[in-house]
């Protein structure tokens, strides 16, 4: 199960549960979610990626590999107090999400949930650096969103 740390929506919680199920993950893990305005996102993007512009979502994986998130399955840092493994953090720019929802003609809820899923998949090892990887990641995003009824 993926526990969300931060002000997650019901749709994000459903997407996290669906991703966990769809990707056949096991154990207990957590992901931090943070919401930023454009200026804070621009500063974070500059500091972490050397890109001086706001972006819609940034992911910060805490792990080098993915596996069962259990106490017995090292090398994962299992937090005995929380009873889980920290996967990483996702920063979402709400202003960019609003703009993109209008641009793409769908709801703000759909855009925010999509950005969360996109960030979560990055944390779980997905990428879109080449066309094959992009196709695989997009298919996983749409599968998760469709399974929870987020289509528009």
């Amino acid at each position: 199960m993926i526990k969300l740390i931060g002000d997650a929506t019901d749709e994000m919680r459903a997407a996290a549960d669906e991703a966990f199920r769809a990707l056949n993950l096991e154990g207990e893990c957590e992901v931090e979610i943070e919401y930023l305005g454009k200026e804070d996102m621009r500063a974070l993007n500059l500091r972490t990626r050397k890109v001086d512009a706001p972006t819609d979502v940034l992911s910060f994986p805490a792990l080098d590999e993915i596996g069962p998130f259990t106490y017995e399955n090292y090398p994962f840092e299992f937090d005995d107090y929380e009873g889980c493994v920290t996967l990483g953090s996702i920063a979402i720019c709400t202003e960019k999400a609003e703009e993109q929802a209008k641009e793409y003609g769908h709801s703000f809820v759909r855009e925010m949930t999509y950005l969360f899923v996109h960030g979560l998949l990055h944390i779980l090892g997905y990428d879109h650096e080449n066309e094959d990887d992009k196709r695989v990641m997009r298919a996983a995003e749409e599968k998760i969103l469709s399974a929870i009824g987020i289509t528009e």
Side-chain angles (χ1 to χ4, degrees), residues 28-101:
E28 300 292 326
C29 53
E30 67 183 14
V31 172
E32 177 187 35
I33 303 170
E34 186 170 348
Y35 304 102
L36 302 175
K38 274 188 177 178
E39 273 310 302
D40 288 335
M41 185 60 100
R42 181 199 61 76
L44 183 60
N45 203 16
L46 179 61
R47 189 169 66 248
T48 59
R49 297 178 57 231
K50 308 294 185 244
V51 176
D52 191 9
T55 189
D56 52 5
V57 62
L58 289 172
S59 299
F60 301 97
L63 304 177
D64 293 329
E65 61 181 89
I66 303 300
F69 306 114
T70 62
Y71 183 80
E72 296 79 20
N73 190 31
Y74 291 100
F76 302 118
E77 288 256 349
F78 193 86
D79 183 330
D80 287 322
Y81 181 74
E82 293 293 330
C84 63
V85 172
T86 299
L87 296 182
S89 300
I90 300 169
I92 298 174
C93 180
T94 53
E95 292 173 70
K96 291 286 285 182
E98 287 175 10
E99 292 171 3
Q100 290 172 181

Side-chain angles (χ1 to χ4, degrees), residues 11-29:
E11 293 84 4
M12 289 174 183
R13 288 186 218 305
D17 290 345
E18 179 58 29
F20 198 80
R21 189 197 63 70
L23 299 174
N24 296 313
L25 300 175
E26 62 181 86
E28 300 292 326
C29 53

Side-chain angles (χ1 to χ4, degrees), residues 126-140:
Y126 284 74
D127 215 329
H128 46 81
E129 293 301 313
N130 63 52
E131 285 304 312
D132 288 339
D133 290 345
K134 185 177 183 177
R135 237 183 326 277
V136 169
M137 187 169 183
R138 294 291 180 252

Side-chain angles (χ1 to χ4, degrees), residues 86-129:
T86 299
L87 296 182
S89 300
I90 300 169
I92 298 174
C93 180
T94 53
E95 292 173 70
K96 291 286 285 182
E98 287 175 10
E99 292 171 3
Q100 290 172 181
K102 288 177 188 167
E103 179 183 340
Y104 301 134
H106 55 242
S107 71
F108 178 68
V109 169
R110 193 256 185 228
E111 186 64 18
M112 288 292 289
T113 308
Y114 167 78
L115 292 174
F116 168 74
V117 169
H118 185 84
L120 180 62
L121 288 175
H122 273 306
I123 285 174
L124 293 170
Y126 284 74
D127 215 329
H128 46 81
E129 293 301 313

